[in-house]
Amino acid sequence: MDWQALSLSLQLAAATALLLLPFAVWLARRLAWSPFRGQGAIEAAILLPLVLPPTVLGYYLLLGFGGASPLAELYHALTGRALVFTFDGLLAASLIFNLPFAVQPMQRAFAAIPREVREAAWVSGLSRWQTFLRVELPLAWPGIAAALALTFAHTLGEFGVVLMVGGSLPGETRTIAIAIYDQAQAFNDSAAAGMSALLLVLSFIAVALVSRLGRSVTGR
Amino acid sequence: MTLSARLEQSAPIPLAADITCANGELLALVGPSGSGKSTILRCLAGLHRPTGGHVRCADETWFDAGRGVNVTPQQRRVGFVFQHYALFPHLTALANVALALHHLPAHQRAAKARQWLARANLEGLETRRPGELSGGQQQRVALARALAREPQVLLLDEPFSAVDQVTRRKLLRQLIELRRSLAIPIVLVTHDLEEASLLADRMTVLHHGRTLQTAPPDEMLARPVSALVARLTDQPNLFVGQVRQQSPESDTTVVEWLGRPLLATHQPDFAVGDTVCWLVPEGGVVLVREHQVDRENTVAARVSERLAWRGHATVTARVADRRDAALSFAIGASVAQRRGIDPGASVLLQLQKSAIRLIPADPAIIAQLGAAGDLPP
């Protein structure tokens, strides 16, 4: 078992889920309740990571994050660090390829809250922020939790994009999925089997959780 | 604390509405679906912003398009009962009401919410969630929540449409009871004219977002200002005729209808020769016996339909067997049975002179009324 890779994967998954949470909530509410011009294109763009081959997405991210790109220069000026073959770049890529997993369940959860229920909160005197905390969040939390679980599990398992953007630097970019690949390539079957079994269990738990949360939304 | 509003917009639903409602008054907004009733309520509550006009309550301006004033729903102090109640599904009945008590210190809210639930006859149901309450109970929680805010205006959007008939009658009685103790303007949106007549001090008829007439329910039925209002208030006895004679000295206007003269009280706004719509409320149509045939405005008709309900019968009878000359009137169900008022029976009906009302002719309505006449009897 490559504990370092497991630890890195868990850090990456947790950071992705936490950083994506506020943005995804904002975007999901926006998409659910305030239709705007070009919404279809935005929704399609969010879904792209689901259908694009990870190598294609990884290739474009590599272009965008590469040393000469404006984004990389800006990031370097701000932090002194690079975006390719670093944990930072991996995290940035992870935020992008997880967008559909984070936004979609939340959007469905917010869209299920009737407009009148939010309006009832407003005419009852609750500010927009109080309405969000007291009414919207408690009603949408199964969707939000499902989004977090999906994002977490998907980050643990992502391979192609991670390999393209991060490579396989121990302690920096070698996630557990990459470690499994490396061990399998080296015919180290027992290590590959152990780590694969662990990922299998973690993924199963996440998916079971999502399906249970989904039932609690529809069963209400 | 009078509420007054002028609301204008051209889209998505056109509005050109004038609303006034005094303290303690219940104003019913009636009209067909899509006539803008609910949009008007939403404008009053601040949930929808029209393009023009104003909303004033007491000495506060809540909305003024000209001055750019638009007070938020939170600041308007409005009690709003939504059509499907819009209770917070994750909260108990008590918490639903307590959430509207944010103007009170936190430690007082639960006790106050309990009081409001008790006033709505909901003791013992405090810990139930909306999903565990019946439709009628949900409506009362919604009403308690609306009143808990101690609103300056109470707005009710079809509050009885989502409950069964029996519950509806019970809730109607409770609302009639409750409103005696409320000294604020109450605006009720309904498509149910019976409900409006029972509850409202005045009603406003709307069509395509335009307020056509505002009057007490009885007056609205007796004296609609236009044929359209008569149609929208479901007046059954609306016909087309021609003014034949104006006799102020005998307080009479004579209208010709199906070739016979009908006497109405003098209505000077119409000239001899004018084509007019005229109506007689159901209460102005009286069943008379054969020896009374010489009475004024007596017409022979054949019964085409009898609907009995709770001791009352609504009878429709056609004059000259014409479908576009069907007079509707109400009598006791036992009288109808005793006198053999069954479909096919011949009856003599007197149209009471004082009840006949002339209305300016409306080509669209005349076309509708006339279309029926072209059909075979």
Side-chain angles (χ1 to χ4, degrees):
Chain A
M1 177 69 69
D2 186 340
W3 294 108
Q4 192 184 42
L6 177 64
S7 159
L8 189 85
S9 275
L10 291 174
Q11 284 175 46
L12 181 66
T16 303
L18 287 180
L19 286 176
L20 211 46
L21 175 68
F23 175 70
V25 166
W26 172 82
L27 187 60
R29 283 177 86 243
R30 188 76 216 275
L31 293 171
W33 293 333
S34 325
F36 52 90
R37 192 193 286 267
Q39 174 158 351
I42 298 284
E43 284 178 334
I46 292 170
L47 286 178
L48 263 186
L50 283 182
V51 291
L52 271 185
T55 44
V56 173
L57 184 61
Y59 174 73
Y60 282 116
L61 289 175
L62 203 55
L63 279 187
F65 291 174
S69 77
L71 186 66
E73 282 178 7
L74 178 71
Y75 191 76
H76 185 76
L78 288 174
T79 64
R81 289 170 60 85
L83 278 174
V84 286
F85 306 119
T86 62
F87 182 80
D88 306 25
L90 215 51
L91 181 57
S94 180
L95 291 175
I96 292 169
F97 69 67
N98 272 301
L99 265 181
F101 299 92
V103 173
Q104 281 255 308
M106 291 193 201
Q107 185 180 343
R108 273 201 300 276
F110 284 114
I113 302 175
R115 183 182 69 174
E116 287 78 14
V117 169
R118 289 184 297 134
E119 291 178 339
W122 301 340
V123 294
S124 296
L126 271 67
S127 68
R128 301 256 168 170
W129 179 243
Q130 285 170 327
T131 302
F132 176 68
L133 290 181
R134 308 286 298 272
V135 177
E136 294 170 20
L137 270 190
L139 290 175
W141 82 264
I144 295 172
L148 290 181
L150 272 178
T151 302
F152 191 88
H154 180 238
T155 311
L156 285 186
E158 179 56 39
F159 176 77
V161 178
V162 172
L163 194 63
M164 294 287 283
V165 177
S168 176
L169 305 175
E172 182 73 27
T173 62
R174 184 189 286 169
T175 62
I176 189 157
I178 307 283
I180 292 170
Y181 176 76
D182 286 348
Q183 298 295 348
Q185 290 285 301
F187 300 107
N188 192 348
D189 280 349
S190 67
M195 289 189 282
S196 294
L198 181 69
L199 265 197
L200 180 70
V201 170
L202 284 177
S203 301
F204 182 80
I205 290 173
V207 174
L209 194 66
V210 168
S211 119
R212 166 130 187 78
L213 290 167
R215 267 205 305 280
S216 81
V217 170
T218 50
R220 190 164 51 223
Chain B
M1 219 187 281
T2 304
L3 174 77
S4 75
R6 161 86 194 158
L7 305 166
E8 296 160 7
Q9 71 175 27
S10 51
I13 289 176
L15 280 185
D18 290 289
I19 305 285
T20 58
C21 187
N23 261 344
E25 185 184 34
L26 195 150
L27 176 76
L29 304 181
V30 300
S33 308
S35 59
K37 307 183 295 281
S38 293
T39 307
I40 288 174
L41 273 205
R42 294 171 54 77
C43 290
L44 297 178
L47 297 171
H48 178 82
R49 184 182 182 152
T51 49
H54 65 262
V55 178
R56 296 197 186 97
C57 184
D59 49 359
E60 292 175 18
T61 296
W62 284 351
F63 173 68
D64 191 322
R67 285 164 39 207
V69 176
N70 189 29
V71 173
T72 63
Q74 285 88 345
Q75 292 166 324
R76 290 196 188 195
R77 290 277 299 280
V78 158
F80 201 123
V81 175
F82 290 83
Q83 188 173 3
H84 299 287
Y85 317 133
L87 295 176
F88 308 125
H90 58 301
L91 298 178
T92 63
L94 190 73
N96 260 280
V97 178
L99 215 55
L101 290 165
H102 260 261
H103 54 286
L104 296 181
H107 65 277
Q108 291 178 14
R109 288 177 200 158
K112 193 77 186 167
R114 239 170 253 285
Q115 283 176 21
W116 279 111
L117 286 177
R119 266 188 85 171
N121 299 322
L122 289 164
E123 288 117 326
L125 302 176
E126 290 87 350
T127 57
R128 298 242 187 124
R129 293 194 186 192
E132 300 161 341
L133 296 170
S134 72
Q137 289 164 343
Q138 288 183 32
Q139 195 252 30
R140 281 180 284 151
V141 174
L143 192 58
R145 181 177 70 182
L147 292 173
R149 181 135 163 82
E150 291 177 24
Q152 291 176 286
V153 178
L154 182 61
L155 306 175
L156 309 168
D157 190 1
E158 307 241 10
F160 306 106
S161 65
V163 290
D164 61 78
Q165 188 72 13
V166 177
T167 310
R168 195 172 141 244
R169 282 181 185 277
K170 225 185 280 174
L171 294 172
L172 268 169
R173 284 214 184 85
Q174 284 176 359
L175 185 61
I176 291 170
E177 192 77 13
L178 173 79
R179 57 158 302 212
R180 291 200 195 111
S181 63
L182 292 177
I184 52 172
I186 306 173
V187 184
L188 166 78
V189 159
T190 179
H191 63 267
D192 187 323
L193 291 159
E194 191 195 0
E195 200 173 286
S197 303
L198 267 173
L199 289 167
D201 300 302
R202 289 185 307 148
M203 56 199 256
T204 291
V205 175
L206 284 154
H207 190 244
H208 292 321
R210 195 171 283 279
T211 43
L212 299 180
Q213 185 177 2
T214 300
D218 288 344
E219 192 186 316
M220 182 79 76
L221 293 181
R223 282 188 287 280
V225 293
S226 66
L228 182 58
V229 170
R231 262 288 145 115
L232 293 173
T233 51
D234 198 25
Q235 296 263 20
N237 302 323
L238 179 65
F239 306 103
V240 184
Q242 270 194 322
V243 179
R244 280 288 168 246
Q245 197 182 321
Q246 284 286 27
S247 312
E249 63 286 353
S250 61
D251 188 26
T252 301
T253 295
V254 180
V255 183
E256 186 185 314
W257 180 56
L258 301 180
R260 68 199 77 198
L262 288 178
L263 277 53
T265 46
H266 183 234
Q267 293 169 54
D269 296 342
F270 304 90
V272 172
D274 277 0
T275 296
V276 292
C277 289
W278 66 272
L279 72 87
V280 56
E282 284 184 328
V285 181
V286 183
L287 193 62
V288 295
R289 295 183 183 275
E290 268 169 42
H291 66 271
Q292 297 167 317
V293 69
D294 296 334
R295 287 188 178 187
E296 66 190 10
N297 293 350
T298 299
V299 295
R302 189 188 303 281
V303 174
S304 59
E305 186 183 65
R306 190 185 81 189
L307 298 171
W309 168 245
R310 292 198 173 206
H312 300 281
T314 300
V315 181
T316 306
R318 290 178 185 169
V319 178
D321 275 336
R322 287 178 65 145
R323 197 178 271 202
D324 63 347
L327 282 160
S328 176
F329 61 101
I331 52 172
S334 56
V335 177
Q337 200 153 24
R338 203 169 56 239
R339 293 183 56 175
I341 312 294
D342 298 315
S346 295
V347 289
L348 274 181
L349 300 172
Q350 185 190 15
L351 313 185
Q352 291 187 318
K353 180 182 172 186
S354 61
I356 294 179
R357 187 82 200 159
L358 272 56
I359 310 171
D362 178 331
I365 301 289
I366 289 178
Q368 286 174 23
L369 296 171
D374 298 331
L375 297 169

